[in-house]
């Protein structure tokens, strides 16, 4: 089943994001290589595809896991979470319709 991992950033998270981005992307690429990643990306802090210094306000990952517990464990191990980028992370089931 798919699960949505919805993360909210701390204020001014851009530098912390940059410092661990390679490790974060490595985990996402592993899911993609396993054909389990539906989509992933950040929420720009401003209405622009390139927010520059404004940075990002959070992230969304939709990926396939065997259970809610596995999805939560994957989210808890995210390098952004370990680096303190996120203030909150919500994991919930996601039903793909279109």
């Amino acid at each position: 089943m798919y699960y949505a991992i919805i993360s909210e950033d701390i204020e001014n998270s851009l530098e912390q994001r940059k410092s661990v981005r390679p490790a974060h992307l490595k985990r996402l690429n592993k899911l993609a290589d396993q054909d389990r990643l539906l989509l992933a990306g950040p929420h720009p802090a401003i209405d622009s595809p390139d927010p520059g210094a404004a940075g990002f306000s959070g992230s969304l990952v939709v990926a396939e896991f065997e259970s809610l517990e596995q999805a939560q464990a994957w989210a808890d191990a995210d390098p952004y979470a370990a680096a303190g980028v996120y203030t909150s992370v919500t994991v919930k089931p996601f039903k793909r319709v279109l």
Side-chain angles (χ1 to χ4, degrees):
M1 177 167 196
Y2 284 110
Y3 294 87
I5 302 169
I6 306 151
S7 307
E8 297 294 328
D9 281 21
I10 62 169
E11 292 288 323
N12 303 310
S13 64
L14 188 58
E15 291 307 313
Q16 285 167 281
R17 275 179 166 270
K18 287 179 180 179
S19 71
V20 293
R21 186 171 188 260
H24 174 77
L25 291 178
K26 183 177 180 180
R27 294 179 80 234
L28 290 171
N29 283 319
K30 184 175 179 182
L31 286 177
D33 291 345
Q34 296 168 347
D35 201 30
R36 295 171 46 204
L37 184 64
L38 183 61
L39 64 90
H43 300 287
I46 59 173
D47 189 11
S48 172
D50 182 5
F56 301 94
S57 64
S59 299
L60 172 64
V61 173
V62 179
E64 188 174 18
F65 294 94
E66 290 187 20
S67 67
L68 178 60
E69 292 77 19
Q70 284 188 358
Q72 184 68 59
W74 188 91
D76 290 345
D78 190 300
Y80 283 168
V85 170
Y86 298 142
T87 61
S88 68
V89 177
T90 302
V91 180
K92 55 175 129 180
F94 178 83
K95 182 179 177 183
R96 183 178 182 180
V97 175
L98 297 173

